[in-house]
Amino acid sequence: MRRVSWGDLGLSAGFAAMGLVWIAGAREMPMWERETPGPGWLPLAFGVLLVGLSAAAALQALIWPAAAPEGGGSVRKPLLVLGATLAAVLGLELIGFLPAVFLMLLVLFVLAERKALLPSLLAALGVSAALHLIFVTWLGVPLPAGPFGG
Amino acid sequence: MAGFAAALTPGHVAMCFLGVLLGQVVGVLPGIGPSAAIALLLPITFGLEPTAALILFAGIYYGSQYGGTLTSVLISVPGESSTVMTSIDGYQMALQGRAGAALGIAAIGSFIAGTLGTIGLMLIAPPLAKMALAFGPPEYFSLVVLGLVALAAVGSSVLKGLVAGVAGLALGTMGIDPQVGTARYDFGQIWLLDGIEFIVLTVALFGLGEVLSGCADAAARPVAKVKDVLPTREDWQRSKWPIARGSVIGFVIGVLPATGATIASFVAYIVEKKLARDPSRFGKGAIEGVAGPEASNNAAASGALVPMLSLGVPGSGTTAVILGALIMFGVRPGPEMFTTNASLVWALIASMLIGNLILLVMNLPLAGLFARLLSVPYSWLYPPIIALCIAGVYSQANSIEDCWLLVGFGLVGWMMRRHDWPMAPMVLGLVLSPLFETAMRQSLTLSLGDPAIFVARPLSAGLLACAALALLVPLAALAWQRRPSSVR
């Protein structure tokens, strides 16, 4: 059954909003200096194009609705995964890279995927250790150490 | 020969082996494609020299074509869109207990087509690049337009592709203006003065976005057994001409901007069905339906590198990511690559010949082993991928703010993937934005502000005409499909 794709409309609205931000920002910059476009000219052009094309995409979504239901199934798990990722990024400075990523992995294995605790613990430990080995030991990247160090 | 000498150094052979092995694995594993694999490896390859990194990335690119075949044949889930046609007859063969024969002929066909395609690349790319050496700023401007429009036209909706491409171009204007030093769209944040890094956007869209899109369906699937991968004499008789035809069709279609391996495999399948004495066998396990499309998609992968290496116009999402990686390594893809980075290009081409041989040797005896990877549940794979995304994005500038951008663009990537919006044009737009802006400003300075310069010069006008064609052909095809008589 054909139906309007709210996702397409939402994305079109998001890109159109971005276009408006670009137009507003460009108006505060010089547009044309002698025979050459100034720093605001191209962002303005991109903003106008983005608004126009997004409006056309929204119109397309309304006139020719999606032939099939939107793919991807439930949004519960992706939102849980996104939340865990967000928490891990928040924790990078607070508790350091290793504990933040270890906890994120554990939460994803145990809560999102309902895995048994012991294999989840081992997998989370193994992945965290491997990342430390690759990025800190091998590549010399100073990943956030946090209050626990290392 | 210098290319072979460079490609045959132990380090480069090791990179080639690692690349095709990783490509094979990501082609098989669910939820992670070659674009994501290259994006995730970018931070780890910072310390490598560009030739080694490019050999690794190209190996992942064409190796994944082999891996995608395994999932198409064994569980009827194409790992790559270019192996959709393979799944039609390949899966039927697997149901009849002939999965091994399907995979064997796919590996042999891919090897032959990949080798022929690479030879075609060696013959066509250098003269094309030489011709393009006459490019000035207006031609570069038109080339970027062609590249973006062509990539937008590859996806399911030209309009969505164009929106994504322009959004990428707009993101590319963030930070300090390269000509007069004005701060643009920094929103009062000092860290935004550097703009948005290619690696952050690529990992967010292709890494985190893909994970969020795939994690809802993370269960493992039952996998068919693989045995007897060497084709019989009859299999070979039936397959040799489809492989030859598929190689030619794939290469020619791959070279054209706005097409690619998916269309090439589709055309090859249709041609084989049309030429078959008994077309009714197709869809029921005809080996020609595997040999033709498989040869075609591998030849197209080589063909797509012709415009990328000689003009800087990528023919697919993965080549767009490789193009961005090249720029990150300080190599400017385009006509000058064959003169300023000749050793890199020839080493890459030689490594592709070696890589195809490695894939053949690896696939015939080890197809069963790779098939077992299919039974690894995605639920064990995606959490480590997210951890790698965070570490990779942080490591490129030791910046927590980039990790916030990762989450934000990851959400955008998930939405785009969920609603079938192409992501590659957005990445390409970001990568090509500085070149586009510089070329446009220089052109208008040359013409004293007259935009007619873009159509007054024949090469520039020709490139813009190609861009218009790339835009109009899919639109015309859509209008044709939607004409009143076609509605049942």
Side-chain angles (χ1 to χ4, degrees):
Chain A
M1 201 181 97
R2 288 180 176 270
R3 63 187 178 90
V4 173
S5 165
W6 290 104
D8 280 343
L9 286 180
L11 278 164
S12 302
F15 283 120
M18 180 183 163
L20 290 174
V21 170
W22 252 247
I23 291 170
R27 291 181 63 186
E28 293 167 11
M29 300 174 210
M31 281 291 149
W32 203 265
E33 292 167 338
R34 295 185 187 174
E35 278 87 24
T36 314
W41 194 88
L42 206 55
L44 178 74
F46 289 152
V48 171
L49 263 176
L50 206 47
V51 171
L53 289 169
S54 303
L59 212 62
Q60 188 184 45
L62 287 169
I63 296 173
W64 292 296
E70 292 163 4
S74 156
V75 296
R76 199 188 136 269
K77 198 195 274 186
L79 286 178
L80 179 64
V81 173
L82 189 70
T85 311
L86 197 67
V89 171
L90 195 68
L92 286 180
E93 277 186 318
L94 292 176
I95 56 173
F97 177 83
L98 274 184
V101 163
F102 171 79
L103 286 174
M104 179 196 76
L105 290 166
L106 201 60
V107 164
L108 290 178
F109 285 135
V110 176
L111 293 183
E113 295 303 332
R114 310 266 176 217
K115 306 268 184 209
L117 186 61
L118 186 63
S120 301
L121 264 172
L122 291 175
L125 262 175
V127 172
S128 308
L131 288 175
H132 189 269
L133 194 72
I134 294 170
F135 284 94
V136 179
T137 311
W138 181 26
L139 296 174
V141 176
L143 291 174
F148 310 110
Chain B
M1 290 318 285
F4 267 101
L8 282 171
T9 58
H12 289 165
V13 171
M15 279 297 150
C16 184
F17 178 76
L18 187 65
V20 295
L21 181 68
L22 280 172
Q24 175 94 31
V25 170
V26 300
V28 173
L29 290 176
I32 176 166
S35 306
I38 294 170
L40 291 171
L41 280 174
L42 278 171
I44 303 174
T45 54
F46 276 153
L48 289 177
E49 43 131 359
T51 309
L54 188 58
I55 287 174
L56 177 76
F57 296 152
I60 293 173
Y61 173 49
Y62 56 83
S64 66
Q65 303 288 335
Y66 278 66
T69 309
L70 274 162
T71 57
S72 292
V73 170
L74 298 179
I75 55 173
S76 191
V77 175
E80 295 297 312
S81 58
S82 57
T83 55
V84 169
M85 302 315 287
T86 311
S87 68
I88 299 173
D89 282 280
Y91 186 57
Q92 289 301 319
M93 286 179 75
L95 291 178
Q96 294 159 17
R98 303 198 65 226
L103 291 174
I105 207 69
I108 293 169
S110 299
F111 167 72
I112 295 170
T115 307
L116 291 175
T118 308
I119 293 169
L121 170 67
M122 287 164 68
L123 295 176
I124 291 182
L128 193 62
K130 200 171 176 184
M131 190 187 82
L133 274 174
F135 281 15
E139 285 76 23
Y140 273 110
F141 170 87
S142 304
L143 198 58
V144 175
V145 173
L146 171 61
L148 278 170
V149 169
L151 198 58
V154 175
S156 57
S157 160
V158 180
L159 201 50
K160 290 176 180 177
L162 288 175
V163 173
V166 175
L169 284 169
L171 287 175
T173 60
M174 290 177 79
I176 300 283
D177 168 51
Q179 294 209 347
V180 290
T182 308
R184 300 189 292 194
Y185 305 103
D186 60 353
F187 304 105
Q189 305 293 316
I190 292 172
W191 58 277
L192 276 176
L193 287 175
D194 286 336
I196 291 177
E197 290 293 332
F198 152 76
I199 203 164
V200 175
L201 186 70
T202 311
V203 172
L205 295 181
F206 290 104
L208 188 57
E210 296 264 355
V211 163
L212 292 171
S213 166
C215 68
D217 180 26
R221 299 162 199 271
V223 182
K225 286 251 184 291
V226 179
K227 53 184 180 182
D228 303 329
V229 288
L230 283 177
T232 61
R233 183 182 286 267
E234 192 197 342
D235 288 339
W236 179 244
Q237 284 298 331
R238 283 184 182 278
S239 305
K240 62 183 182 188
W241 288 113
I243 289 173
R245 284 188 289 267
S247 303
V248 176
I249 291 169
F251 183 75
V252 172
I253 292 179
V255 169
L256 302 173
T259 52
T262 306
I263 295 174
S265 63
F266 181 77
V267 173
Y269 188 87
I270 299 294
V271 165
E272 291 314 318
K273 197 173 175 182
K274 289 272 179 206
L275 292 176
R277 283 187 194 152
D278 179 12
S280 67
R281 289 174 49 250
F282 279 72
K284 296 172 187 164
I287 199 162
E288 303 94 310
V290 175
E294 275 304 303
S296 188
N297 67 29
N298 276 272
S302 306
L305 288 175
V306 172
M308 194 201 88
L309 291 175
S310 56
L311 300 176
V313 177
S316 67
T318 311
T319 48
V321 177
I322 295 177
L323 186 115
L326 275 173
I327 293 172
M328 198 187 78
F329 278 104
V331 177
R332 181 169 155 170
E336 292 137 22
M337 260 189 84
F338 277 88
T339 46
T340 53
N341 289 291
S343 60
L344 182 150
V345 178
W346 289 111
L348 167 73
I349 292 173
S351 82
M352 287 174 69
L353 292 169
I354 299 164
N356 267 302
L357 189 64
I358 294 173
L359 277 167
L360 180 71
V361 173
M362 207 158 64
N363 267 272
L364 288 180
L366 299 180
L369 191 70
F370 283 116
R372 283 195 208 160
L373 282 173
L374 279 170
S375 54
V376 177
Y378 189 50
S379 52
W380 281 113
L381 294 175
Y382 79 79
I385 292 174
I386 297 177
L388 187 58
C389 287
I390 296 174
V393 162
Y394 180 86
S395 68
Q396 71 94 27
N398 300 334
S399 158
I400 294 278
E401 287 83 4
D402 281 346
C403 295
W404 292 116
L405 287 177
L406 167 77
V407 177
F409 283 119
L411 177 65
V412 174
W414 171 41
M415 293 299 291
M416 289 177 79
R417 175 111 175 125
R418 190 173 160 81
H419 300 288
D420 204 15
W421 285 60
M423 297 183 287
M426 197 163 170
V427 170
L428 189 68
L430 180 80
V431 168
L432 295 182
S433 190
L435 174 65
F436 183 80
E437 183 163 17
T438 307
M440 191 206 69
R441 282 172 153 181
Q442 286 175 345
S443 305
L444 290 174
T445 305
L446 280 173
S447 68
L448 302 177
D450 183 3
I453 190 171
F454 299 114
V455 287
R457 292 168 59 131
L459 266 174
S460 174
L463 290 166
L464 286 177
C466 288
L469 269 180
L471 196 64
L472 291 175
V473 168
L475 290 177
L478 193 70
W480 178 258
Q481 278 172 7
R482 286 178 176 163
R483 73 193 192 281
S485 61
S486 72
V487 178
R488 273 185 256 181

